[in-house]
C-alpha cells in the first residue's frame, strides 16, 4: 500500500524496528482458534471435559507461547 | 427477603466500603506534580508499569456483565456461549500487532483518544468527530450494563423494592460514590481498585471450579447434565457442541468481538496509560490468564444446570432473568459469608470498568468536541476540568438508562455498540498502517457500514421479540438458500471497507484534496524516553499550519 510521506523526516534509522519476521507467528493464535473443525467434537474427553472445551482452553496456551516467543525474539533484535 | 441474606449483605457492604475508601485515597497514589492535566487525570500520567497495566486492562476488559452474561448464555444456549474464549485469545495478538503502534504515535503527539489520532493522520475534523461520537455512543450502554451486573447480585440478595426509586436506590448510591472518587482521582482510582477486584474474582473462581464440581459429582456429570437439558429442549440451536448452522456465527462473532474490543475507547485508554512498549508486549502474554478465568466462569452456566438452578423472574411477567443464575448458584452452593465475597467480586467488578469507560467517554468529549468545536484555546487545566465534569454527566446518564428504561434496552444497545464501534476499524486500526484510504471515502464507508449494520440488527428476530433479537443474522435474508447465520458486525465492516476502498480509487482519480498527514512513519515505533513532538496538545510545529475546522 503506498503511504504518502509528506516532508520525509531525517530520522529514518529507527524505522523498521518492528518489522521482524517473527511477527508473522502472531497470526497463528489469531487463525487457529477460529477453525471449528479442530475443536467441535466430544471425544476424547479429558477430566470429563469434552474436546470442544479443553481444546479451546488449550488455545490459550498457544496464544501465550507465541506472544511470549515473539516478544523475546523482537526484543533482542531491536538492539536498543 | 433480604433478612435471609443478612451475612451476604454485610460482607458485600464491607468490601464495597473498603474499595470506595481506596478510590478516594488513589488521588495520592503515585502523586503527580500537577493533577490538573488530562494526561494525569485521564491517563494516570502515562506511567503505569507491567503489574498495574495487567490489573487495569484485565479489570477493564472483563467486566461484571461478562461474569454474569457469559454463564447466562451458556446456561441458555450451550456451546455458542463459549465464543468468549476464542474471542479473548484472538484479541491479544491483535493488540500486540496494532495497538502498540497507536501507543507510539500517541506518545509522540500527546494523543489521548483514538479520534485525536484520526484527526492528525487524516487531517479531517469531521472524520475525527464521527469517530468520537461513535466511541461515546458505543460506550454509554456498556456503562449502563455494568449496573445490570450489580442489579443481578442485589436482586439475589433480596435487596429490591416495589417502587422504581426503592428498587434502584442501592445502585444510585453505589454510582454516586463511584462518580465522586472518579472525579477526584481519575484513572488512578480504577487502577488501584482493580487490584482488589481481580484478586477477589480469582479467589472466588478458583474456589468455585474446585469446590463446585466436587459437590456436583465431577466435570463429566456437569457436562452430561447440560447435554441432557439441551437434548430435551425444542430449540435446534442449543447443545454442548456447535452444529452446522451456527459455526459461521460462532467464528465471526469471536473474531468481530475481538476486533471491536480493542477499538473501544476504554481499552485504548488502558493501553495508552502504560509506560512503554515493552509493558504492553509483556502484558499481551500475561493477560490470557484472564481468558482461562473467563472460560471457567463460562462453565458456571453448566454448573448451574447441574445444580438445578431456576432463574429469578425477569422485568416483564412470565419472562425469566438468566443473568441471575450465577448469583443464585453461589447463594445455593456456598456458605453465606463466601457468597457475600463472591457478590462483592461481581459488584466491584462493575465499578472498575464503569470508571474507566466514563473516563474514556469524557476524554473523547473533551478532546474532540469541546476543544475542537467549543473552545479551541482550552488550557490543559480546563481540559482536565471539562473531562471530570463530563465523566459525572456520563454516569448520571447511565443510571438514568437503568432506572427509566427496561434493562433489556441497555442490552440491545450494547449489542448495537459492538457493531458500531467496529465501523471505526478502517480509520483507526488500518489507519495505523496505511494512509491509502481517502478521508472522504472513510466517512462514506462509515455511513454505509453503520446503515447496513443497523438494518441487519433490526431484521434479527428472537423467540421473544421481532427486532434487535440478537447479532446472528440469518443469511437467507440476503437471498441465500441456507439456515446458516453470521455476525452482523463482520458483514457491516466488510461493506464499510469495500465502500471506502472503491471511493478512494474514485477520489484519487478525481484528484480530490487529501489533506496533510501530521505523523511520520517513524512515529509508529517511538518508545519511552523519546522526545515528544510537542508536549500536550498543539502539534505539527514543522508543517507550521493552523488546524482547519
Amino acid at each position: 500500500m503506498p503511504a504518502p510521506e509528506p516532508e520525509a523526516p531525517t530520522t529514518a534509522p529507527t524505522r523498521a524496528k518492528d518489522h521482524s519476521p517473527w511477527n508473522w507467528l502472531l497470526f497463528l493464535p489469531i487463525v487457529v482458534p477460529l477453525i471449528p473443525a479442530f475443536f467441535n467434537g466430544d471425544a476424547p474427553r479429558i477430566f470429563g471435559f469434552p474436546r470442544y472445551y479443553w481444546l479451546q482452553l488449550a488455545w490459550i496456551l498457544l496464544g501465550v507461547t507465541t506472544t511470549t516467543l515473539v516478544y523475546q525474539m523482537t526484543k533482542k533484535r531491536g538492539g536498543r | 427477603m433480604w433478612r435471609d441474606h443478612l451475612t451476604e449483605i454485610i460482607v458485600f457492604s464491607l468490601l464495597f466500603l473498603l474499595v470506595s475508601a481506596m478510590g478516594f485515597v488513589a488521588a495520592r497514589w503515585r502523586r503527580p506534580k500537577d493533577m490538573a492535566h488530562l494526561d494525569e487525570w485521564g491517563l494516570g500520567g502515562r506511567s503505569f508499569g507491567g503489574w498495574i497495566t495487567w490489573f487495569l486492562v484485565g479489570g477493564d476488559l472483563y467486566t461484571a456483565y461478562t461474569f454474569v452474561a457469559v454463564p447466562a448464555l451458556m446456561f441458555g444456549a450451550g456451546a455458542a456461549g463459549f465464543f468468549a474464549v476464542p474471542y479473548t485469545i484472538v484479541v491479544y495478538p491483535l493488540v500486540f500487532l496494532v495497538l502498540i503502534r497507536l501507543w507510539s504515535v500517541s506518545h509522540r503527539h500527546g494523543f489521548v483518544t483514538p479520534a485525536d489520532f484520526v484527526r492528525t493522520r487524516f487531517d479531517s475534523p469531521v472524520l475525527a468527530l464521527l469517530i468520537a461520537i461513535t466511541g461515546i455512543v458505543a460506550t454509554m450502554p456498556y456503562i449502563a450494563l455494568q449496573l445490570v451486573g450489580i442489579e443481578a447480585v442485589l436482586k439475589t440478595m433480596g435487596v429490591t423494592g416495589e417502587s422504581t426509586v426503592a428498587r434502584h436506590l442501592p445502585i444510585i448510591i453505589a454510582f454516586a460514590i463511584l462518580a465522586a472518587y472518579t472525579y477526584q482521582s481519575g484513572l488512578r482510582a480504577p487502577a488501584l481498585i482493580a487490584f482488589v477486584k481481580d484478586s477477589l474474582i480469582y479467589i472466588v473462581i478458583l474456589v468455585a471450579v474446585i469446590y463446585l464440581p466436587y459437590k456436583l459429582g465431577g466435570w463429566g456429570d456437569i457436562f452430561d447434565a447440560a447435554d441432557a437439558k439441551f437434548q430435551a429442549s425444542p430449540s435446534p440451536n442449543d447443545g454442548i457442541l456447535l452444529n452446522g448452522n451456527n459455526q459461521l456465527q460462532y467464528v465471526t462473532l469471536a473474531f468481530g468481538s475481538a476486533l471491536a474490543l480493542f477499538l473501544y475507547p476504554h481499552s485504548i485508554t488502558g493501553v495508552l496509560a502504560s509506560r512503554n512498549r515493552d509493558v504492553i508486549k509483556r502484558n499481551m502474554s500475561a493477560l490470557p490468564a484472564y481468558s482461562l478465568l473467563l472460560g471457567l466462569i463460562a462453565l458456571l452456566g453448566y454448573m448451574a444446570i447441574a445444580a438445578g438452578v431456576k432463574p429469578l423472574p425477569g422485568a416483564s411477567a412470565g419472562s425469566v432473568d438468566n443473568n441471575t443464575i450465577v448469583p443464585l448458584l453461589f447463594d445455593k452452593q456456598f456458605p453465606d459469608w463466601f457468597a457475600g465475597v463472591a457478590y462483592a467480586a461481581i459488584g466491584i467488578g462493575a465499578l472498575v470498568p464503569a470508571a474507566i469507560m466514563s473516563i474514556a467517554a469524557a476524554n473523547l468529549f473533551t478532546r474532540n468536541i469541546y476543544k475542537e468545536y467549543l473552545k479551541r484555546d482550552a488550557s490543559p487545566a480546563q481540559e482536565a476540568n471539562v473531562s471530570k465534569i463530563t465523566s459525572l454527566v456520563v454516569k448520571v446518564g447511565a443510571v438514568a438508562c437503568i432506572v427509566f428504561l427496561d434493562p433489556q434496552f441497555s442490552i440491545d444497545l450494547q449489542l448495537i455498540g459492538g457493531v458500531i464501534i467496529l465501523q471505526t476499524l478502517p480509520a483507526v486500526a488500518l489507519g495505523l498502517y496505511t494512509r491509502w484510504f481517502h478521508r472522504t471515502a472513510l466517512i462514506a464507508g462509515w455511513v454505509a457500514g453503520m446503515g447496513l449494520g443497523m438494518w441487519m440488527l433490526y431484521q434479527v428476530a428472537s423467540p421473544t421479540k421481532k427486532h434487535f433479537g440478537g447479532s446472528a443474522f440469518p443469511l437467507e435474508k440476503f437471498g441465500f438458500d441456507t439456515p446458516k447465520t453470521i455476525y452482523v458486525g463482520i458483514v457491516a465492516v466488510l461493506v464499510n471497507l469495500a465502500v471506502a476502498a472503491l471511493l478512494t480509487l474514485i477520489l484519487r482519480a478525481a484528484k480530490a484534496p487529501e489533506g496533510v498527514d501530521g505523523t511520520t512513519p517513524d512515529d509508529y515505533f517511538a518508545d519511552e524516553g523519546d522526545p515528544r513532538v510537542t508536549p500536550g496538545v498543539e502539534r505539527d510545529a514543522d508543517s507550521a499550519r493552523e488546524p482547519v475546522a
Side-chain angles (χ1 to χ4, degrees):
Chain A
M1 298 263 173
E5 293 177 24
E7 64 247 324
T10 46
T11 48
T14 46
R15 215 192 148 179
K17 203 186 263 173
D18 253 21
H19 290 190
S20 163
W22 286 101
N23 282 338
W24 290 103
L25 210 58
L26 290 174
F27 283 92
L28 204 65
I30 296 178
V31 173
V32 171
L34 297 177
I35 303 174
F38 288 143
F39 54 78
N40 197 25
D42 195 305
R45 285 199 177 197
I46 295 182
F47 299 119
F49 280 63
R51 183 173 81 220
Y52 183 85
Y53 299 91
W54 66 256
L55 191 55
Q56 292 201 69
L57 290 173
W59 295 147
I60 296 173
L61 273 181
L62 176 75
V64 172
T65 316
T66 41
T67 40
T68 309
L69 186 68
V70 171
Y71 167 64
Q72 291 297 340
M73 298 321 280
T74 53
K75 191 173 65 169
K76 299 276 184 296
R77 294 202 161 202
R80 271 178 288 116
Chain B
M1 264 316 275
W2 62 269
R3 277 182 231 288
D4 306 333
H5 300 276
L6 198 59
T7 319
E8 291 167 6
I9 294 174
I10 291 171
V11 174
F12 178 89
S13 307
L14 283 177
L15 285 167
F16 196 91
L17 285 176
L18 170 77
V19 297
S20 303
M22 284 177 72
F24 286 107
V25 174
R28 302 211 187 124
W29 179 49
R30 303 164 67 93
R31 194 189 193 107
K33 278 205 264 333
D34 178 17
M35 192 70 163
H37 193 294
L38 204 51
D39 270 9
E40 291 299 339
W41 184 84
L43 288 179
R46 301 183 192 254
S47 66
F48 290 156
W51 280 102
I52 305 174
T53 303
W54 189 72
F55 278 111
L56 181 71
V57 175
D60 183 16
L61 302 188
Y62 301 86
T63 68
Y65 180 66
T66 319
F67 293 142
V68 168
V70 170
L73 200 58
M74 299 283 288
F75 181 86
F82 214 60
F83 85 94
V85 172
Y87 146 45
T88 55
I89 296 174
V90 166
V91 70
Y92 298 117
L94 282 172
V95 173
F96 197 107
L97 288 167
V98 179
L99 280 196
I100 200 137
R101 295 170 69 91
L102 183 64
W103 185 92
S104 287
V105 74
S106 303
H107 179 79
R108 270 251 174 119
H109 291 266
F111 300 149
V112 179
T113 68
D116 283 348
F117 161 70
V118 169
R119 167 84 171 73
T120 302
R121 175 70 146 168
F122 293 99
D123 195 7
S124 168
V126 179
L127 185 59
L129 180 67
L130 285 180
I131 303 289
I133 292 175
T134 313
I136 294 170
V137 171
T139 307
M140 285 286 282
Y142 217 151
I143 302 172
L145 268 196
Q146 301 309 317
L147 294 166
V148 174
I150 304 187
E151 220 168 30
V153 167
L154 293 173
K155 214 167 164 179
T156 314
M157 289 196 295
V159 184
T160 178
E162 289 306 314
S163 72
T164 312
V165 176
R167 191 163 62 238
H168 295 292
L169 196 62
I171 284 200
I172 294 172
I173 295 170
F175 249 48
I177 299 172
L178 170 72
Y181 63 68
T182 313
Y183 180 88
Q184 193 192 334
S185 312
L187 196 62
R188 284 178 170 79
L192 195 58
I193 295 174
F195 283 98
V196 181
K197 174 220 157 184
D198 292 339
S199 309
L200 282 180
I201 295 219
Y202 273 103
I203 294 169
V204 168
I205 297 308
L206 281 179
V207 170
V209 298
I210 295 166
Y211 177 70
L212 292 181
Y214 164 76
K215 271 192 84 173
L216 296 171
W219 284 105
D221 285 6
I222 291 170
F223 284 108
D224 290 340
D227 196 25
K229 178 197 166 185
F230 297 127
Q231 297 279 354
S233 91
S235 164
N237 276 331
D238 58 13
I240 63 164
L241 297 178
L242 297 176
N243 57 44
N245 297 335
N246 58 10
Q247 288 189 16
L248 182 64
Q249 158 73 9
Y250 185 85
V251 168
T252 48
L253 180 61
F255 187 59
S257 305
L259 291 176
L261 184 64
F262 78 85
L263 290 168
Y264 267 112
H266 63 271
S267 2
I268 291 179
T269 300
V271 168
L272 292 189
S274 52
R275 191 198 303 141
N276 57 34
R277 288 166 67 98
D278 263 15
V279 166
I280 303 172
K281 286 190 170 182
R282 269 185 278 128
N283 257 288
M284 293 312 120
S285 317
L287 277 166
Y290 285 96
S291 308
L292 181 63
L293 190 70
L294 183 61
L296 297 173
I297 290 171
L299 294 175
L300 290 176
Y302 285 178
M303 292 185 205
I305 296 175
V309 170
K310 297 269 176 294
L312 292 178
S316 53
S319 68
V320 291
D321 184 358
N322 274 355
N323 287 333
T324 55
I325 57 141
V326 168
L328 282 172
L329 177 72
F330 290 162
D331 186 42
K332 202 169 161 176
Q333 302 288 336
F334 286 147
D336 282 355
W337 69 271
F338 195 73
V341 174
Y343 292 169
I346 297 176
I348 298 166
L351 300 180
V352 174
I356 305 173
M357 287 167 191
S358 66
I359 289 170
N363 287 348
L364 280 169
F365 174 80
T366 305
R367 295 282 300 197
N368 309 107
I369 296 174
Y370 172 74
K371 193 176 163 62
E372 184 79 45
Y373 293 97
L374 301 177
K375 193 165 171 30
R376 189 56 69 76
D377 57 348
S379 70
Q382 282 171 323
E383 280 188 44
N385 218 10
V386 170
S387 252
K388 287 165 89 168
I389 293 166
T390 314
S391 83
L392 293 181
V393 175
V394 166
K395 286 197 206 70
V396 172
V399 172
C401 276
I402 290 296
V403 173
F404 298 111
L405 304 169
D406 183 351
Q408 186 57 43
F409 190 66
S410 297
I411 298 172
D412 294 347
L413 280 178
Q414 204 269 335
L415 189 75
I416 297 171
V419 173
I420 71 172
I421 199 72
L422 258 181
Q423 307 313 318
T424 65
L425 179 105
V428 178
L430 296 186
L432 286 166
Y433 280 92
T434 172
R435 202 176 178 273
W436 180 79
F437 289 103
H438 193 281
R439 52 187 178 176
T440 313
L442 285 170
I443 295 172
W446 180 92
V447 172
M450 222 41 125
L452 180 72
M454 288 303 114
W455 177 81
M456 287 172 77
L457 285 170
Y458 182 77
Q459 296 293 323
V460 177
S462 77
T464 48
K465 47 210 297 224
K466 274 182 73 184
H467 301 295
F468 296 113
S471 61
F473 184 81
L475 283 173
E476 61 181 4
K477 296 212 186 216
F478 279 147
F480 296 107
D481 182 21
T482 165
K484 286 188 189 346
T485 56
I486 191 165
Y487 176 52
V488 171
I490 286 286
V491 181
V493 77
L494 285 177
V495 168
N496 178 339
L497 277 172
V499 169
L502 198 68
L503 218 67
T504 296
L505 292 173
I506 296 171
L507 287 165
R508 276 284 152 69
K511 301 230 177 333
E514 292 192 53
V516 183
D517 184 357
T519 68
T520 64
D522 190 46
D523 289 347
Y524 296 88
F525 307 109
D527 205 348
E528 188 185 16
D530 191 282
R532 303 258 181 98
V533 170
T534 40
V537 248
E538 292 308 329
R539 79 249 183 276
D540 289 345
D542 52 342
S543 60
R545 69 196 161 76
E546 281 299 300
V548 265

